[in-house]
Amino acid sequence: MTRFRRDVLERPGVRTVIIMDGINDLAEWNKPHQATARGIIDGHKELIRAAHARGIRAVGATLTPVKGSPLAYSPAAEAVRDQVNEWIRTSGAYDHVVDFEAAVRRPDDPDFLRPEYDSGDGVHLDDRGYDALARAVDLDAL
């Protein structure tokens, strides 16, 4: 919330924010404090409420695949990521949703990043991957 306040809420003229939050909370290196779907969703709700209180539109972005990373992936983390993404897509809590997962996932195994977008660690995108995310955003919806 501290970063959100500094980077979004305290900035003059902000009208819309895209929120993609929670992927690092699922990583293996965060055990034994790995986040739950409920915890991540509650965090999203807090950010949405704070944005709306300032008159800022909140756009939810789905969490991107991480199965290619030995440090970020586990079956338990994947289950949580799937639950969070389902909530982002269907809850109606956001003013709009952008499906970043769909923009960068492998067609033959959607739990992996497309190889041409993978920076090499199975989690972080390269420039082409970030370009794919940008193309997924409907500017008219903002």
Side-chain angles (χ1 to χ4, degrees):
M1 196 59 198
T2 300
R3 270 181 42 195
F4 191 74
R5 190 175 2 272
R6 180 195 70 215
D7 295 345
V8 177
L9 302 177
E10 294 175 356
R11 300 270 182 201
V14 173
R15 295 178 305 184
T16 303
V17 61
I18 297 175
I19 299 171
M20 180 185 172
D21 189 48
I23 200 71
N24 287 336
D25 299 315
L26 298 178
E28 288 290 296
W29 60 79
N30 282 329
K31 281 187 174 180
H33 305 291
Q34 189 177 58
T36 64
R38 176 61 30 219
I40 292 172
I41 290 167
D42 287 348
H44 278 250
K45 289 178 180 178
E46 181 179 356
L47 297 177
I48 294 165
R49 278 191 301 274
H52 286 166
R54 295 283 176 106
I56 298 170
R57 285 177 42 96
V59 176
T62 56
L63 303 179
T64 55
V66 297
K67 192 173 183 181
S69 171
L71 293 177
Y73 174 80
S74 72
E78 182 59 28
V80 171
R81 188 182 74 84
D82 288 342
Q83 291 170 6
V84 170
N85 281 349
E86 181 66 16
W87 178 84
I88 291 168
R89 288 181 182 113
T90 65
S91 70
Y94 280 105
D95 299 304
H96 184 70
V97 171
V98 60
D99 199 340
F100 282 171
E101 177 193 42
V104 299
R105 67 184 175 208
R106 273 179 36 186
D108 62 326
D109 190 340
D111 294 337
F112 281 91
L113 289 174
R114 294 175 70 104
E116 64 269 27
Y117 297 155
D118 188 346
S119 68
D121 66 3
V123 177
H124 298 97
L125 302 169
D126 63 10
D127 289 343
R128 291 169 295 182
Y130 286 115
D131 186 58
L133 296 186
R135 288 190 317 269
V137 176
D138 177 1
L139 296 179
D140 291 331
L142 302 182

